[in-house]
């Protein structure tokens, strides 16, 4: 079996408890698209971006998703929710098999610092197998911006990267380019599912192993149902996309050892010189900004 059908649910959700709404949307997908094997939600779809809603895993929300997966006989990726582990909070995706069991949990490796305050990053790339189909990798939102994360998933055998997203900023267009680049350079499918409505700007997308855009959604509610062919991924890796580049083989066969990976990012003088990871200050709070504000208050031009 090489074909596997995924429905990305780009839902226009409010802040707060969305579990009942999500359950109904999953029910509608099963009714309309009986051929779908997996449903993927956007990041933090369950409760929104408030860490006050964090709960332990396993917990009530996971139980609700397990029941959905079991009821409909689907693989289900819950987007993510905030996980409380003692005094620590993670942004965690859970994957449920059709029998309702938890097949994988992924803690977001790169929270969107400095904005995702109070959230601790995970340390381990996460893959899981769909028996008889292939291997899948997880990258939550900002994780996809780090090629090291995606390459680690590919190194572990992933052929499809699932990327739940909550993007409500102007850089969603940039993320579309990153998704295509990640797909092309790693010869894999990338399924990037954003939220819509109050929580996000939509524009979910699916890219193929040549970087081709299979579908880009609009900004509102949309069900993105696609039939992926993992045999196509394997053929691209073996022969190149349309007989062209074979980057994974070139990477494997090359004699290079890259200093950035051997020694680690913290060893780079350039990266160390960038300063602390903090939110940018208003231009009115630095010296030049303060002088400009003073001039404006006096009626002059800065």
């Amino acid at each position: 079996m090489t074909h596997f059908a995924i429905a990305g649910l780009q839902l226009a959700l409010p802040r707060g408890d969305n579990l009942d709404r999500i359950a109904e949307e999953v029910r509608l997908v099963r009714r309309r698209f009986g051929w779908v094997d997996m449903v993927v939600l956007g990041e933090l779809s369950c409760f929104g971006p408030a860490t006050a809603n964090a709960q332990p895993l396993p917990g009530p929300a996971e139980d609700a998703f397990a029941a959905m997966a079991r009821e409909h006989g689907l693989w289900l990726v819950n987007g993510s929710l905030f996980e409380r582990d003692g005094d620590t909070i993670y942004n965690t995706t859970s994957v449920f098999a059709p029998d309702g069991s938890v097949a994988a949990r992924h803690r977001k490796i790169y929270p969107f610092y400095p904005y995702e305050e109070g959230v601790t990053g995970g340390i381990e790339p996460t893959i899981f197998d769909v028996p008889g189909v292939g291997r899948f990798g997880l990258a939550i939102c900002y994780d996809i911006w780090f090629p090291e994360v995606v390459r680690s998933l590919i190194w572990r055998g992933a052929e499809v990267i699932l990327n739940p997203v909550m993007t409500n900023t102007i850089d969603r267009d940039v993320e579309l380019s990153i998704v295509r680049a990640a797909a092309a350079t790693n010869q894999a499918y990338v399924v990037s599912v954003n939220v819509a409505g109050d929580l996000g700007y939509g524009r979910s997308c699916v890219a193929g192993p040549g970087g081709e855009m299979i579908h880009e959604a609009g900004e509102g509610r949309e069900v993105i149902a696609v039939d992926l062919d993992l045999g196509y991924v394997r053929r691209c890796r073996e022969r190149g996309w349309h007989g062209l580049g074979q980057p994974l083989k070139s990477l494997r066969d090359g004699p290079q050892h890259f200093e950035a990976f051997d020694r680690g990012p913290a060893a780079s003088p350039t990266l160390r010189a960038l300063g602390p990871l903090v939110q940018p200050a208003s231009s009115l709070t630095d010296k030049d900004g303060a002088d400009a504000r003073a001039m404006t208050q006096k009626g002059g031009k800065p």
Side-chain angles (χ1 to χ4, degrees):
M1 177 180 176
T2 64
H3 285 264
F4 191 78
I6 295 178
L9 298 191
Q10 178 176 290
L11 302 180
L13 298 170
R15 296 171 183 268
D17 188 341
N18 292 309
L19 278 173
D20 289 343
R21 167 74 182 280
I22 290 169
E24 179 60 21
E25 292 281 359
V26 173
R27 194 172 297 117
L28 291 173
V29 167
R30 172 48 86 206
R31 185 181 307 157
R32 183 179 182 190
F33 302 107
W35 45 271
V36 161
D37 303 299
M38 174 184 283
V39 169
V40 181
L41 293 157
E43 181 187 21
L44 299 174
S45 291
C46 315
F47 303 113
T51 55
N53 294 317
Q55 58 181 257
L57 301 180
E62 271 203 341
D63 291 344
F65 280 108
M68 295 179 214
R70 190 165 47 246
E71 177 185 355
H72 301 295
L74 287 165
W75 288 86
L76 181 57
V77 181
N78 72 344
S80 73
L81 54 82
F82 285 123
E83 171 196 358
R84 182 175 297 280
D85 184 1
D87 294 330
T88 305
I89 293 176
Y90 299 96
N91 186 341
T92 302
T93 294
S94 300
V95 178
F96 302 87
D99 64 0
S101 61
V102 177
R105 292 190 184 100
H106 173 65
R107 288 171 169 171
K108 186 176 185 179
I109 296 175
Y110 289 101
F112 190 42
Y113 294 152
Y115 297 97
E116 203 168 338
E117 295 181 5
V119 180
T120 298
I123 59 173
E124 193 70 23
T126 304
I127 52 94
F128 66 95
D129 291 329
V130 174
V133 177
R135 182 161 289 178
F136 293 66
L138 294 165
I140 303 175
C141 202
Y142 200 38
D143 284 347
I144 203 74
W145 285 66
F146 298 84
E148 298 82 359
V149 172
V150 180
R151 185 52 54 82
S152 295
L153 296 170
I154 299 303
W155 189 91
R156 296 179 182 209
E159 297 169 307
V160 180
I161 307 298
L162 305 175
N163 175 224
V165 175
M166 177 179 282
T167 296
N168 53 17
T169 46
I170 63 171
D171 52 354
R172 181 57 185 162
D173 189 62
V174 178
E175 287 182 334
L176 299 181
S177 299
I178 292 171
V179 165
R180 293 188 66 183
T185 56
N186 292 285
Q187 298 179 297
Y189 285 110
V190 180
V191 180
S192 180
V193 182
N194 196 9
V195 290
D198 294 342
L199 299 180
Y201 289 165
R203 299 182 70 191
S204 300
C205 68
V206 181
E212 70 273 31
M213 187 67 86
I214 295 169
H215 180 72
E216 179 184 337
E219 296 180 359
R221 177 193 175 278
E222 188 168 336
V223 177
I224 304 105
V226 291
D227 185 13
L228 305 185
D229 182 1
L230 275 69
Y232 172 52
V233 171
R234 293 157 196 166
R235 183 173 176 83
C236 287
R237 290 180 175 183
E238 178 186 354
R239 297 169 55 90
W241 186 65
H242 293 294
L244 300 173
Q246 300 175 38
L248 295 184
K249 289 184 182 178
S250 294
L251 179 68
R252 178 200 66 195
D253 295 344
Q256 298 81 8
H257 291 278
F258 295 101
E259 186 176 25
F261 296 99
D262 291 342
R263 298 180 57 194
S268 165
T270 301
L271 299 186
R272 288 201 305 270
L274 293 176
L277 178 56
V278 296
Q279 289 194 35
S282 166
S283 60
L284 298 180
T285 62
D286 59 27
K287 181 179 184 301
D288 293 337
D291 291 344
R293 182 171 54 187
M295 286 289 291
T296 301
Q297 290 171 345
K298 293 177 181 179
K301 289 186 177 181

